[in-house]
Amino acid sequence: MWKNRLGYILTAGAMFLLVFFFSEPFLLYAGTALILIALVVGIGMHQECRDLEVKLKVGKGVRGGEELPLEITVRTQKSPWFLRCIQMDLTIQNEMFQTTEQTRLILPLSGRANCFTMKETIPVCGEIEVTCSQIRAYDFLRLFCTEIDTLELASTVVYPKRRRLQVQLSRTAAGIPKYTGMVQNRKGSDPSEMFDIRDYTPGDDIRSIHWKLSSKTDNLILRQASDPAHYNTVLLPDFGRNQLEQEHAAEQINAAIGYAVALGEELLRQNAAFGFAFPTPQGLKIEEVRNRSAFQQLIALWLSVPVQEMSGTGLRYFEMNHMEERFTKLILFAAGDDMPNPGALNGKIDVTVLAATETEHIKTSTAGTCERLELPSRWEAGECERIIC
């Protein structure tokens, strides 16, 4: 903009200088007109900017590796005569991986309502916060710049790509958990107490039919029993920001997060009890997962918590708090070749490490009660992996 101003000032100055040498009236008129035009543009632009309204909306339901749509709406009460464009400085921050990206947008204006859709690629999952540090408005001559009030914070959650898993939990277990309140109050298979009733669907066990109630309603009603048992399985994602420096790390971390979400959803489908844990700056947070709604809320919370600097922090928290005494099965999610080593838990608890790597096929290795499964970080849409853990 300073070049436009300098050029304009030099042009007006040259007009008056030529008047001094040649005494031509039209040169005086031209120089005076340039000054008046600048004054009118400056005053008119100031008035138009007072009625300027800028809004920012962030897209929802985006997944890691996809483009995040940013919808910017600029409105004025009247069609602008002097205002021609605005400049916006945006900061896009991933709260989970503490990465920040700066972008500058130049938006040309025409008419009272202007809508722009920009797309920013988000490489990794997490809660995304978009802030506007500065908005400037420019006139059509690019002589004047007016500061506009910045926008409110806009945020959304970028979820992992959808993964499909068929999971079978092995019945082997190591250790005897010392229960400390980890009670699962959910539907199960305890026939001594009825948890709920529902309509019969083909494939249900006919021994669970409530015949007396069914005879009164003319519909087959099924008993659903309660399960007073503690949940023995815990899911623990464990990777760090240090891994983002490696090649293909963002893709592998996205895949690992996707595997954690997919496995949790599959366990819920099977009515299997489990806990979900993840490291935070305050230590290891662990929650019981009762239903799909609670699991989705927990995933959104997890994606908003900063990932620890180094991978393996979650496993260290697990060992320091002797969590192996409260569970019989730990499913650890990792990314790439830099993965936590659960060797200290060998013989104390059944451990399965699910690592998203560059492999094309599932690879397995076993050492005592610790098993490692390498899963492909890339796959085609609709493809389904079958694992036993």
Side-chain angles (χ1 to χ4, degrees):
M1 186 181 71
W2 66 270
K3 293 182 179 180
N4 298 65
R5 285 181 176 178
L6 180 61
Y8 199 88
I9 293 172
L10 290 177
T11 302
M15 293 294 180
F16 290 107
L17 186 63
L18 291 174
V19 170
F20 177 78
F21 286 106
F22 299 101
S23 301
E24 293 289 342
F26 79 90
L27 294 175
L28 178 62
Y29 299 151
T32 304
L34 288 177
I35 294 176
L36 291 176
I37 290 173
L39 289 174
V40 171
V41 170
I43 295 173
M45 181 182 168
H46 178 73
Q47 293 296 324
E48 290 178 350
C49 288
R50 293 173 60 184
D51 302 328
L52 189 66
E53 182 183 27
V54 184
K55 292 184 178 181
L56 172 64
K57 183 179 180 181
V58 182
K60 305 292 184 181
V62 178
R63 299 189 177 275
E66 297 179 355
E67 292 181 329
L68 176 66
L70 306 176
E71 185 178 303
I72 302 169
T73 305
V74 183
R75 296 181 181 275
T76 56
Q77 292 185 1
K78 299 178 181 179
S79 296
W81 285 79
F82 308 100
L83 183 61
R84 283 296 176 266
C85 68
I86 64 171
Q87 173 185 297
M88 300 179 62
D89 293 334
L90 299 180
T91 300
I92 303 175
Q93 180 169 338
N94 187 312
E95 290 297 308
M96 188 176 194
F97 288 92
Q98 296 295 290
T99 56
T100 302
E101 179 182 350
Q102 306 283 345
T103 183
R104 172 169 289 180
L105 305 176
I106 306 295
L107 308 177
L109 305 181
S110 61
R112 296 172 54 187
N114 301 266
C115 187
F116 307 90
T117 300
M118 318 301 295
K119 293 185 177 181
E120 293 290 334
T121 301
I122 307 299
V124 291
C125 309
E127 183 180 59
I128 303 299
E129 292 188 348
V130 183
T131 56
C132 183
S133 58
Q134 189 179 67
I135 304 179
R136 291 181 174 181
Y138 295 93
D139 63 280
F140 65 93
L141 293 176
R142 300 281 290 188
L143 296 179
F144 300 97
C145 172
T146 303
E147 296 281 346
I148 307 297
D149 293 338
T150 56
L151 306 176
E152 295 182 356
L153 173 72
S155 63
T156 187
V157 177
V158 174
Y159 292 94
K161 293 182 179 179
R162 291 191 181 277
R163 306 279 172 171
R164 292 183 59 201
L165 289 178
Q166 288 188 2
V167 181
Q168 179 181 345
L169 290 178
S170 63
R171 297 185 178 277
T172 59
I176 300 176
K178 300 176 181 179
Y179 298 121
T180 56
M182 301 289 185
V183 178
Q184 178 74 13
N185 182 18
R186 58 190 292 134
K187 301 171 185 178
S189 57
D190 184 1
S192 63
E193 183 180 355
M194 187 169 65
F195 183 88
D196 201 357
I197 59 174
R198 62 174 175 85
D199 291 339
Y200 173 85
T201 57
D204 289 331
D205 189 351
I206 61 173
R207 293 174 297 181
S208 299
I209 294 177
H210 195 305
W211 295 108
K212 185 176 181 180
L213 187 58
S214 298
S215 63
K216 296 180 180 179
T217 60
D218 294 330
N219 290 322
L220 290 178
I221 303 299
L222 198 74
R223 295 187 182 94
Q224 286 193 292
S226 66
D227 182 6
H230 297 70
Y231 61 89
N232 298 328
T233 300
V234 60
L235 279 55
L236 174 62
D238 197 359
F239 28 77
R241 293 194 298 272
N242 63 305
Q243 295 177 287
L244 290 175
E245 301 175 357
Q246 305 172 9
E247 188 178 5
H248 305 302
E251 182 181 37
Q252 294 170 356
I253 290 176
N254 275 332
I257 296 174
Y259 281 123
V261 174
L263 193 141
E265 291 177 344
E266 178 64 14
L267 293 181
L268 287 174
R269 192 187 67 81
Q270 299 179 15
N271 288 327
F274 71 96
F276 192 88
F278 54 90
T280 71
Q282 292 75 37
L284 195 66
K285 181 177 180 60
I286 180 168
E287 293 287 343
E288 174 190 4
V289 179
R290 296 174 178 266
N291 50 53
R292 187 175 296 273
S293 175
F295 187 54
Q296 291 176 346
Q297 294 177 9
L298 185 59
I299 293 301
L301 174 62
W302 169 39
L303 295 178
S304 68
V305 175
V307 171
Q308 300 301 303
E309 186 65 32
M310 304 297 295
S311 60
T313 303
L315 182 60
R316 288 194 292 273
Y317 283 154
F318 192 90
E319 295 172 349
M320 289 168 53
N321 292 288
H322 303 288
M323 301 294 289
E324 70 276 4
E325 297 179 354
R326 302 162 69 176
F327 305 98
T328 59
K329 183 181 294 294
L330 168 65
I331 302 178
L332 198 66
F333 297 90
D337 298 326
D338 182 16
M339 61 184 67
N341 181 12
L345 298 176
N346 193 7
K348 301 178 181 179
I349 186 175
D350 186 57
V351 181
T352 300
V353 179
L354 299 182
T357 67
E358 289 296 298
T359 183
E360 296 182 358
H361 306 285
I362 297 180
K363 298 180 180 179
T364 63
S365 59
T366 305
T369 60
C370 299
E371 182 181 19
R372 168 175 163 170
L373 278 71
E374 293 187 32
L375 305 179
S377 58
R378 300 189 186 97
W379 60 20
E380 299 296 331
E383 189 173 352
C384 182
E385 297 289 351
R386 298 173 176 84
I387 62 173
I388 300 176
C389 56

